Amino acid sequence: LGARLDVQIVVSLLESLGFVISTEKSIKEPTQTLEYTGLTIRTLPLTFALTGKKVADIRKLCKNALVRRKLPLRDLASLLGSLSWATAAIRYAQAHFRSLQSFYTEGLKSTEVNFQASVTITPNTEGDLSWWINDAKFEEGKAIIMSATDISIYTDASLSGWGAVCQGIRTGGPWSRAESNYHINQLELLAALKGLECFTATSFGSTVKLNIDNTTAVSYINKLPTRVIRQLVPSTESAMDGRILKELER
């Protein structure tokens, strides 16, 4: 009753001020789920999610791109538009969008902005397209408000070694000979990865807060640009490539 009364008060106020209420587009009954421009807003878990039709459309576009292998830049731009819009409702989607975006930008440069020209799907872009088809957790949606922190980890790096602290427990160690040649930004990211591996090995579905005093590393992790992380933390025999993202996605 309270919600209905509030709606009546708002409608009466707006109409008294001269506004015309569109009853066809209005929902006056209390509900925990609303659909708006392809997004489902769920008020109980406070999440955004894609509608079933939008999910099907995105998967179809990605599958078609993988099957065709060679795409006109105009079609790739259309695909990117759909994926960019969907990042608001899918966790970690941004990380699997930026390599496609870079691929598109490089294609524009190499063809002198010829949208009719075609580009061939690369292994990196193939991996991201496959993620959208098989691994994106569409049904979970994306939280409107970040949940409370379950685990807080502090990490730091120097040119000689790394350290991490969680709930008073400390760990760390020296760099290998190969790692000692990395840039300090690389080392900060590597320290963050090692901290995650040490303190979240048995944690799943937890909210982890990484405290890092290197603003560049913080920016990279927050924006989840996997292409840049791959450059900053090169692949090694231990398959370093992409492990920061995999740790976060757990």
Side-chain angles (χ1 to χ4, degrees), residues 6-178:
D6 290 340
V7 170
Q8 291 175 4
I9 293 172
V10 171
V11 170
S12 297
L13 175 61
L14 291 174
E15 288 179 337
S16 69
L17 294 173
F19 290 94
V20 178
I21 306 298
S22 174
T23 55
E24 295 82 6
K25 297 181 179 179
S26 301
I27 299 176
K28 296 183 179 180
E29 290 299 312
T31 180
Q32 294 178 345
T33 303
L34 289 172
E35 286 190 14
Y36 181 71
T37 63
L39 278 180
T40 299
I41 305 169
R42 300 181 293 206
T43 61
L44 191 58
L46 280 178
T47 59
F48 289 126
L50 296 182
T51 62
K53 182 180 183 305
K54 288 294 183 181
V55 171
D57 289 345
I58 286 174
R59 282 180 168 151
K60 182 179 179 180
L61 286 171
C62 292
K63 286 178 180 178
N64 286 342
L66 285 177
V67 170
R68 293 168 66 183
R69 306 297 302 174
K70 203 168 185 178
L71 288 178
L73 284 169
R74 188 176 301 280
D75 290 354
L76 182 57
S78 177
L79 171 61
L80 284 173
S82 296
L83 298 185
S84 176
W85 176 85
T87 57
I90 307 168
R91 294 178 67 198
Y92 307 113
Q94 192 174 8
H96 300 278
F97 167 74
R98 292 192 180 279
S99 66
L100 289 165
Q101 197 174 42
S102 298
F103 175 62
Y104 170 70
T105 302
E106 291 165 4
L108 285 178
K109 290 179 181 178
S110 64
T111 61
E112 298 182 347
V113 197
N114 180 4
F115 286 95
Q116 303 303 323
S118 295
V119 289
T120 302
I121 299 297
T122 64
N124 276 348
T125 53
E126 181 179 348
D128 282 340
L129 288 170
S130 296
W131 181 88
W132 284 90
I133 297 168
N134 302 312
D135 299 319
K137 297 178 180 178
F138 293 104
E139 67 285 352
E140 289 185 4
K142 189 173 183 180
I144 298 173
I145 301 174
M146 182 67 70
S147 58
T149 300
D150 298 310
I151 303 171
S152 186
I153 302 172
Y154 293 80
T155 66
D156 199 5
S158 68
L159 297 178
S160 59
W162 66 279
V165 180
C166 180
Q167 297 179 346
I169 301 174
R170 298 175 180 273
T171 186
W175 300 120
S176 67
R177 180 174 297 180

